[in-house]
Amino acid sequence: MDFCVNFSKLNIKVHSIYDYTYDFCSEYLSDGKPDFEVETNEEKIDAEINTVDFGPSRGYAESICIYREIAEKLPEFNRCVFHGAVIEYGGKGYLFTAPSGTGKTTHIRLWKKFLGDRASIVNGDKPILNIEKEGTVAYATPYAGKEKYQNHSSVKLNGICLIKRGETNRIERVSAGDYITELVPQIYMPYDALSAIKTLELLDNMLSSVPLYVLYCDISEQAFKTSFEKMTGEKYED
């Protein structure tokens, strides 16, 4: 099955074997002229299935392979896939990142809980970032984690927050150079050497223009208030 999707304002032609990827990406279908094409094969699908222990369907495994192929080509267009959750508030985007299981999804739930309709989750797991000199824009994709938090939108990033578990809630703005070894694993790194170098350049460009924070937190209202007030510069009021 051949079809075209639009991710981060790029039209991508997908050659798929199974229907799953088409259905999964149905909200993002496009009839525009493709900027590039991707495909996978049964061997790569087998390899993907063998890397996990929950017995995914071949269609599901293919969808992951397809996104990986897309991620391989994104640096050519000043884009990359980033492991993080992006939330929009007041027209500005805030990206929360952390190793899996550390609490980024829990934290954006807190923002939604206390801000309600004033905030919206752009993507809960693997947004595409378009990194340009004038700033970084985060785009939703259907690849949004098991919670499927995404709203097919985009937002310019106003802050990046590295989450760490802590017994007390505190946040500080930090130098990107001091945390680069923790941030690099959160960005998809292509296998191609030149694309990998370009990805590192994109990461450097983003961190030179978007403020970086480190948040030590639990899962309380105070955790939300700590990050919200520091990153937005506003006082939280119920």
Side-chain angles (χ1 to χ4, degrees):
M1 175 182 293
D2 294 346
F3 58 93
C4 193
V5 296
N6 186 286
F7 292 167
S8 70
K9 293 188 175 180
L10 292 175
N11 290 312
I12 305 163
K13 188 169 185 179
V14 178
H15 304 280
S16 69
I17 303 169
Y18 302 96
D19 293 341
Y20 181 97
T21 305
Y22 175 86
D23 295 335
F24 183 71
C25 296
S26 60
E27 188 178 343
Y28 292 78
L29 295 177
S30 169
D31 58 3
K33 180 180 178 181
D35 293 290
F36 62 88
E37 302 183 13
V38 294
E39 62 182 343
T40 189
N41 56 49
E42 297 286 8
E43 183 178 358
K44 290 181 179 179
I45 293 171
D46 286 337
E48 180 63 31
I49 291 173
N50 290 333
T51 63
V52 295
D53 57 9
F54 60 88
S57 68
R58 298 195 69 78
Y60 173 87
E62 181 190 39
S63 73
I64 302 303
C65 292
I66 289 293
Y67 201 41
R68 187 177 296 116
E69 295 299 325
I70 291 172
E72 287 286 328
K73 294 181 178 293
L74 289 178
E76 300 175 33
F77 302 90
N78 294 328
R79 290 162 169 81
C80 61
V81 171
F82 199 93
H83 178 224
V86 177
I87 195 160
E88 179 272 332
Y89 169 79
K92 298 176 180 179
Y94 303 93
L95 187 157
F96 294 90
T97 187
S100 295
T102 304
K104 71 179 188 304
T105 303
T106 299
H107 198 73
I108 61 168
R109 282 200 196 107
L110 291 174
W111 277 55
K112 277 296 293 178
K113 176 181 178 180
F114 294 109
L115 294 173
D117 292 340
R118 290 180 288 169
S120 61
I121 299 173
V122 176
N123 188 276
D125 191 45
K126 293 183 176 65
I128 290 176
L129 305 183
N130 181 15
I131 303 169
E132 304 286 356
K133 290 182 179 179
E134 57 270 22
T136 296
V137 177
Y139 288 87
T141 76
Y143 295 87
K146 63 179 182 291
E147 297 85 5
K148 300 181 180 179
Y149 290 149
Q150 63 88 23
N151 62 4
H152 200 172
S153 67
S154 63
V155 67
K156 187 174 180 179
L157 289 185
N158 201 59
I160 301 167
C161 186
L162 180 61
I163 295 178
K164 295 176 177 287
R165 291 174 179 165
E167 295 182 359
T168 60
N169 295 294
R170 59 187 177 90
I171 187 172
E172 58 183 317
R173 184 169 175 178
V174 296
S175 170
D178 294 335
Y179 290 88
I180 195 69
T181 57
E182 295 182 58
L183 291 169
V184 168
Q186 306 307 315
I187 196 169
Y188 179 84
M189 198 59 62
Y191 292 106
D192 176 76
L194 291 179
S195 294
I197 292 171
K198 178 62 180 291
T199 299
L200 290 174
E201 292 174 350
L202 291 173
L203 179 61
D204 183 65
N205 290 342
M206 178 175 71
L207 294 174
S208 67
S209 60
V210 182
L212 175 66
Y213 303 85
V214 172
L215 171 69
Y216 296 86
C217 65
D218 53 24
I219 56 173
S220 67
E221 179 179 0
Q222 186 59 44
F224 154 70
K225 290 178 66 176
T226 299
S227 65
F228 174 83
E229 293 184 351
K230 181 70 172 181
M231 296 179 73
T232 67
E234 297 183 18
K235 186 72 174 177
Y236 173 69
E237 297 179 1
D238 293 331

